[in-house]
Amino acid sequence: MKFVEKLLEASRKNRSLLCVGLDPDTYLMPEMSILEFNKAIIEATSDVVCAYKPNFAFYEVLGTEGLEALRRTIGFIPDYIPIIGDAKRGDIGNTAKAYARALFHVFGFDAATVNPYMGFDSLDPFIEYENKGVFILCRTSNPGAKDFQDFADAGGRHLYQTVAQKASEWNTHGNIGLVVGATYPRDLVEIRKICPDMPLLIPGIGAQGGDLALAVKAGVDAYGEKAIINVSRQILYASSGKDFAEAARRAACGVRDNINLVLEQLRG
Amino acid sequence: MKFVEKLLEASRKNRSLLCVGLDPDTYLMPEMSILEFNKAIIEATSDVVCAYKPNFAFYEVLGTEGLEALRRTIGFIPDYIPIIGDAKRGDIGNTAKAYARALFHVFGFDAATVNPYMGFDSLDPFIEYENKGVFILCRTSNPGAKDFQDFADAGGRHLYQTVAQKASEWNTHGNIGLVVGATYPRDLVEIRKICPDMPLLIPGIGAQGGDLALAVKAGVDAYGEKAIINVSRQILYASSGKDFAEAARRAACGVRDNINLVLEQLRG
């Protein structure tokens, strides 16, 4: 099954555009293994999400045991829910091939995030996996996004717009998506115009301050779909006590319902 | 000790600007574990290099065992030789912190490569490790480098030049370097002008077709130092037989000596 079909199925089944970022930070979570923590979070939220997105950094920082925990975490996620490996990889051809294989074969992710700085041949080994999703960083959610992504050509066109345009041209398999931060809602509107059909992975809600309603309105396609609203800390650390899983569920349901309210207004 | 001092010490001791890329590709190497392979390569070459650079992709593709092999490989390298973790990471602030900790603390690299697309706050957690080296991708060695790095502003200034300029401004701790491919020798000349004192990590020689003499002439600083000429496949796979380690040594000595001939011409 193609990634985008899997995404839409999970999204429709759970009536959700919410993606939970599985970023276990040992400084913020209760005292337990990250594997137990992830398992509890997944059990508490798997019927209200459209995807999960573990970020490699939080596993690599724990060494090889962390990566083993990541591998096992994937096994806890119900099969019908797509899993996005957030690794932001990018390297030359033969090396990118190894990364793509690591993400899609070894770990078995349904999709991965990649960095466009090195150009097409660094992305192509990922794109060649036709049934996997490839989310190219376009307009990231952080303040530093402006440093290079705002670089403009003589016509006033920004680098991030060029990335969106190129991604659209390269999308012959229909498996490319873009990462666009909710913290830049006007840019999100523009990017949705350049790529009307692509899935957009939208971080930046919650701890980073992006506005949920604006992100949903600007992020969805013409059918109110294909926006993947990622929230991590606001859900994972809704409570630091023993009730962290229930609190995470409440927070996840809250975000999911707020997204659906915005969608109802859009349709109304 | 600061990274650049360690680099210069190893470089002077071994009279070498050669960095060997420890990229064990199971399709190309003799039948043995990557740990044994790396150990043999290191024993055969450690007195003729200025640094080693393992690329994470070749370890991640083997799963957690691969990363364990990477961790143990680091232990085989003599203490005085700097090790550059080629991971090309880049992520938002709190996540970049975890990556920096993973590379510098957990694995214990002396330096790391990073991707500038997400801007300063994605690089700063690395730069804050004052004694570690941070090599920012600037002009990469692959054909796709042109896709976005050539993006030009109204004044004809390219993105990669802006990255070099910004890197120079951000270099308050003197621990930033740049990655510049030998396959674009004219751009290497320009970048060396923008950043006269920075260490430049230069891939693209050998299998990728970059010209060694041009890269050395354009890459070194005013003292004929601070260019790190990376070669991987041409050395690692000089022979696919039982003599792979001796063949690797011969190849490494050959590149090192050719570099030194160019330096002698420069000085003469």
Side-chain angles (χ1 to χ4, degrees), chain A residues 55 60-61 67 88-91 106 115-121 138 142 144 147-149 151-153 157 162, chain B residues 55 60-61 67 88-91 106 115-121 138 142 144 147-149 151-153 157 162:
Chain A
N55 187 307
E60 284 188 13
V61 74
L67 286 153
K88 301 186 176 68
R89 297 297 188 250
D91 214 309
V106 179
N115 187 309
Y117 190 74
M118 295 179 68
F120 181 69
D121 62 281
C138 178
N142 59 320
D147 288 331
F148 300 119
Q149 294 162 31
F151 192 66
D153 69 12
R157 188 190 172 88
T162 303
Chain B
N55 187 307
E60 285 188 14
V61 75
L67 286 154
K88 301 185 175 68
R89 299 296 189 251
D91 213 309
V106 179
N115 188 310
Y117 190 75
M118 296 179 67
F120 181 70
D121 63 280
C138 177
N142 59 320
D147 289 331
F148 301 119
Q149 294 163 30
F151 192 68
D153 69 12
R157 188 191 173 87
T162 304

